[in-house]
């Protein structure tokens, strides 16, 4: 055996956490940084979790006790590469592609630092201190993971890695948060130049690869940024642009899906292999195509239009979809942030089976040859700013509180139109009245009112259609858990997506004067309501929770009860917000008879930190975390069910 081959073999057998003291010129190291798409926003699939072996290594930038990883110690590079709870990233298949393309004696190592939503300023040493001060609350924990200086973490680990190998390149995926910033390229250059200087690297030997953002067939949320990314080589002569054309994405049109990350990562790797002087070779990506067998225990979903057999759900909570489309070439079903290729059966039908899904209600879409549509077998539900298909993955008996029950009198959900003097147009709302409302013996009885708002991209029918609000109310009232009440649901001017250039504070704010000056007076004039503040409540899910805070906390003369479910409340300074409404806890607690906040265990919007801060001020606020759920209607059904028993009762 040749001496060179023997030495290479010895290097590959060294412990991962303690490499040779000598610098190995055949250990190629790459610095990876950026925001959420580099961080990894898709769940790794089976083929992503198979270790590529000791030739592809990761120097973790944070500790990961679950996987036995320690910051700064090399380990095999399997996802997540960024932080313990992140997903698949382009760096995963970047490294795998290099391993496939480079000679066997060359190892590949990555150092990975990324933060979802971070601007390029967050990697600029001159800007980071100020950036941390003004960063949104949801980002602060991610910044703290890097001691509030992600750039310095990248440099410190880069210096440590240089004792083992040679830094050969920098890969970046960033820009979404700087869309439209004319100085972005210059800022990237400052970061790149600083990296080169701090690590004593030459630009000609360490190129920068920058990936384009999501295209989504021309409808990417930040697609305008791609023009700036494409022009980056005009500012940085060693920069190379990695195209995202054809890379598939998730439903938010902001993040890639797992297949998209694999494709983009391979493209990063192919370009780097070329720059290193090697012929690019793609690693084998296992095909997931297989014949789909529907088990006998699979049952037709309750959300299916009568006369259709699919979708079905089996006892493992896997969903089965089928559609007849004999002329189609490619059909995809998109459910729970994951896309599945539907397989042809040779008879004009296409089928797909999902991974086990969380219990509860979920939107889904299909697309045929790139055209997105609602499954004709599904009832339609307004969500995601449009009509969508829906699938209910059933709970057991614990979900009976939101199902109609034999013997329980049913209330009525009626559709009403009212004229808005504020907007000079007719508007639509849904109004629930309890079963006893229509009874002759209650003809003179008046009722308290709950104004209940949905989330961003949903509509006034969402609480009754997706949330089963009326069944929750009927069952709770029948059991004596909740007092009979009227519930009013309106679109809230958040059915359409947030407009370009529109501030978060403005989104849905046009509804506030309509609610106060048009809707409440209409309800009080046309229904038998109790019209004082002690008999009026407001609650909302997600952005409806944001609206609830805005309305109630600035109109305590009109509301005495407050609830949010996964409330989209960001950057709240509890000491000064809403003209200091929380500053005097005793006064606030007298005015608000009950305040409640809930969120899901896996929710991307959590209110635990706000609850803690409010309690530290002496504010009485009840809260709960929905186990096993995320930002979805099962979380919000549970929240409503826990909220309504406290409303309109004398004792707190």
């Amino acid at each position: 055996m040749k001496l060179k081959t023997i030495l290479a073999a010895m290097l590959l057998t060294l412990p991962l956490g303690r490499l040779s003291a000598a610098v190995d010129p055949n250990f190629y190291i790459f610095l990876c940084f950026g925001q959420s798409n580099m961080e990894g926003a898709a769940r790794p699939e089976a083929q992503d979790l198979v270790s590529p072996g000791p030739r592809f290594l990761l120097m973790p930038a944070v500790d990961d006790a679950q996987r036995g990883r320690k910051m700064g110690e090399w380990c095999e590079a399997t996802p997540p590469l960024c932080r313990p709870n992140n997903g698949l990233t382009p760096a995963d298949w970047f490294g795998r592609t290099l391993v496939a393309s480079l000679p066997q004696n060359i190892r590949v190592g990555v150092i990975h630092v990324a933060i979802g939503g971070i601007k390029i300023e967050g990697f600029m040493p001159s800007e980071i201190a100020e950036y941390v001060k003004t960063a949104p609350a949801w980002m602060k924990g991610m910044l703290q993971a890097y001691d509030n200086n992600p750039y310095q973490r990248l440099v410190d680990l880069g210096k440590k890695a240089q004792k083992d190998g040679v830094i050969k390149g920098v890969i970046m995926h960033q820009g979404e948060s700087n869309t439209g910033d004319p100085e972005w390229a210059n800022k990237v250059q400052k970061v790149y130049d600083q990296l080169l200087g701090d690590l004593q690297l030459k630009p000609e030997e360490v190129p920068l690869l920058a990936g384009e953002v999501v295209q989504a067939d021309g409808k990417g949320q930040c697609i305008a940024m791609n023009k700036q990314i494409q022009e980056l080589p005009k500012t940085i002569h060693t920069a190379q642009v990695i195209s995202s054309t054809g890379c598939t994405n998730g439903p938010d049109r902001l993040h890639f899906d797992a297949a998209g990350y694999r494709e983009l990562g391979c493209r990063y790797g192919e370009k780097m292999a070329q720059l290193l002087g090697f012929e690019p070779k793609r690693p084998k990506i296992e095909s997931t195509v297989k014949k789909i067998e529907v088990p006998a225990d699979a049952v037709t979903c309750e959300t299916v239009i009568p006369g259709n057999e699919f979708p079905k759900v089996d006892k493992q909570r896997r969903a089965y979809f089928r559609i007849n489309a004999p002329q189609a070439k490619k059909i995809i079903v998109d459910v729970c942030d994951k896309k599945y290729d539907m397989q042809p059966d040779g008879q004009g039908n296409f089928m797909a089976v999902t991974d086990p899904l969380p219990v509860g209600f979920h939107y889904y879409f299909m697309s045929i040859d790139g055209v997105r549509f609602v499954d004709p077998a599904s009832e339609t539900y307004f969500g995601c700013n449009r009509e969508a298909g829906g699938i209910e993955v059933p709970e057991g008996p614990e979900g009976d509180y939101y199902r109609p029950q034999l013997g329980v009198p049913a209330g009525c959900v009626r559709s009403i139109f009212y004229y808005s003097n504020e907007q000079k147009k007719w508007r639509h709302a849904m109004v629930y009245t309890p079963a006893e409302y229509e009874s002759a013996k209650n003809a003179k009885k008046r009722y308290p009112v709950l104004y209940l708002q949905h989330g961003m991209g949903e509509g006034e029918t969402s609480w009754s259609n997706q949330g089963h609000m009326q069944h929750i109310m009927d069952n709770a009232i029948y059991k004596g858990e909740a007092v009979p009440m009227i519930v009013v649901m309106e679109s809230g001017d958040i059915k359409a997506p947030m407009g370009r250039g529109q501030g978060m504070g403005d989104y849905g704010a046009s509804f506030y004067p309509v609610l106060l000056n048009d809707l409440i007076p209409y309800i009080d004039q046309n229904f038998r309501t109790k019209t004082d503040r002690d008999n009026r409540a407001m609650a909302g899910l997600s952005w409806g929770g944001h609206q609830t805070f805005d309305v109630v906390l600035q109109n305590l003369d009109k509301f005495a009860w407050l609830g949010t479910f996964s409330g989209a409340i960001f950057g709240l300074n509890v000491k000064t917000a809403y003209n200091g409404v929380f500053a005097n806890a005793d006064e606030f607690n007298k005015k608000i008879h009950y305040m409640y906040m809930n969120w899901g265990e896996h929710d991307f919007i959590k209110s635990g930190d706000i609850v803690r801060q409010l309690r530290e001020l002496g504010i009485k606020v009840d809260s709960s975390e929905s186990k096993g759920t995320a930002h979805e209607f099962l979380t919000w059904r549970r929240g409503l069910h826990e909220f309504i028993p406290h409303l309109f009762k004398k004792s707190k």
Side-chain angles (χ1 to χ4, degrees), residues 100-169:
S101 304
L102 274 53
Q104 288 289 319
N105 66 317
I106 295 179
R107 293 172 299 149
V108 175
V110 294
I111 300 171
H112 197 285
V113 175
I115 294 178
I118 196 169
K119 290 187 174 182
I120 193 63
E121 287 85 346
F123 289 99
M124 298 174 66
S126 62
E127 304 291 333
I128 185 60
E130 187 62 29
Y131 189 84
V132 169
K133 291 180 184 178
T134 59
W138 52 264
M139 189 185 290
K140 291 188 179 298
M142 294 184 279
L143 286 164
Q144 289 169 2
Y146 303 113
D147 293 332
N148 289 321
N149 196 330
Y151 172 84
Q152 193 60 48
R153 180 66 54 85
L154 194 62
V155 169
D156 290 345
L157 294 182
K159 289 180 178 179
K160 186 173 185 180
Q162 285 177 311
K163 298 176 182 179
D164 302 318
V166 182
I167 295 176
K168 289 287 188 176

Side-chain angles (χ1 to χ4, degrees), residues 169-212:
V170 180
I171 74 170
M172 177 188 77
H173 199 286
Q174 195 281 331
E176 291 94 336
S177 294
N178 288 85
T179 302
D181 179 0
E183 292 299 312
W184 177 78
N186 292 328
K187 294 173 183 176
V188 173
Q189 182 180 31
K190 289 180 180 179
V191 175
Y192 178 59
D193 289 347
Q194 186 90 35
L195 270 175
L196 297 178
D198 288 342
L199 295 171
Q200 298 182 12
L201 302 170
K202 297 178 181 179
E204 292 77 14
E205 297 174 356
V206 185
L208 170 69
L209 273 58
E212 292 180 343

Side-chain angles (χ1 to χ4, degrees), residues 324-330 348 350 368-369:
N324 182 262
Q327 313 244 339
K329 296 179 181 177
K330 183 178 179 65
F350 286 73
I368 292 182
D369 300 334

Side-chain angles (χ1 to χ4, degrees), residues 513-528:
V514 173
L515 170 66
L516 299 171
N517 302 325
D518 296 320
L519 182 56
I520 291 177
Y522 176 89
I523 296 298
D524 288 343
Q525 291 167 12
N526 291 274
F527 292 84
R528 301 193 308 277

Side-chain angles (χ1 to χ4, degrees), residues 321-341:
F321 297 89
R322 186 176 73 185
I323 189 171
N324 182 262
Q327 313 244 339
K329 296 179 181 177
K330 183 178 179 65
I331 305 182
I332 294 172
V333 61
D334 183 344
V335 57
C336 285
D337 296 328
K338 186 171 181 179
K339 295 177 180 178
Y340 300 86
D341 288 329

